[in-house]
Amino acid sequence: MSPFRSSTGLPDNIAGALCYFFPFIGGIVFLALEKRSRFVLFHALQSLIVFGILMITHVLGSLFPLLGPLLSALIFLCSFAVWLLMIYHALRGKWYKLPWVGQIAEQQLRHL
């Protein structure tokens, strides 16, 4: 376990993983509660951005009449893979950045 504690009282790696465990909502909650840990704030921002994008693409993909179910299934599988990957890296205490989204989260973290 991580020796550092976020301002929520949880170890950083647990708080970071919870940002992903509850997709989108976990990011909002930890972004609102966390005051001290840059690690947790980064994962909260990245969770919020990536799962927000995946939710929007899931909804937009379902609008296509014939390909909608196939697109939705592919987006769901992609979302599940990202979910597992990010929980794994956060629990290990890694600052794993997703392509594009990680850069955006890192830039936003500088403004907090």
Side-chain angles (χ1 to χ4, degrees), residues 1-2 6 8 10-27 30 37 39-44 46-47 51 82-94:
M1 281 227 223
S2 174
S6 75
T8 62
L10 296 169
D12 281 354
N13 63 333
I14 301 297
L18 286 174
C19 293
Y20 298 107
F21 192 76
F22 302 103
F24 195 73
I25 300 298
F30 278 95
S37 172
F39 179 81
V40 176
L41 287 171
F42 168 76
H43 284 291
Q46 187 166 247
S47 171
F51 290 112
V82 167
W83 182 73
L84 287 176
L85 178 74
M86 297 316 299
I87 288 175
Y88 172 75
H89 284 295
L91 281 174
R92 292 188 64 215
K94 302 291 182 193

Side-chain angles (χ1 to χ4, degrees), residues 9-107:
L10 296 169
D12 281 354
N13 63 333
I14 301 297
L18 286 174
C19 293
Y20 298 107
F21 192 76
F22 302 103
F24 195 73
I25 300 298
I28 292 172
V29 168
F30 278 95
L31 199 55
L33 295 178
E34 185 58 49
K35 305 294 182 231
R36 187 171 53 211
S37 172
R38 306 300 273 175
F39 179 81
V40 176
L41 287 171
F42 168 76
H43 284 291
L45 284 166
Q46 187 166 247
S47 171
L48 191 65
I49 295 166
V50 76
F51 290 112
I53 290 170
L54 287 169
M55 278 193 294
I56 291 168
T57 57
H58 187 76
V59 169
L60 292 176
S62 67
L63 296 176
F64 293 99
L66 298 175
L67 294 176
L70 178 62
L71 284 173
S72 290
L74 289 173
I75 293 168
F76 171 77
L77 289 174
C78 178
S79 300
F80 186 69
V82 167
W83 182 73
L84 287 176
L85 178 74
M86 297 316 299
I87 288 175
Y88 172 75
H89 284 295
L91 281 174
R92 292 188 64 215
K94 302 291 182 193
W95 285 71
Y96 185 81
K97 291 191 303 187
L98 289 166
W100 304 297
V101 174
Q103 282 297 108
I104 296 168
E106 199 171 58
Q107 289 171 354

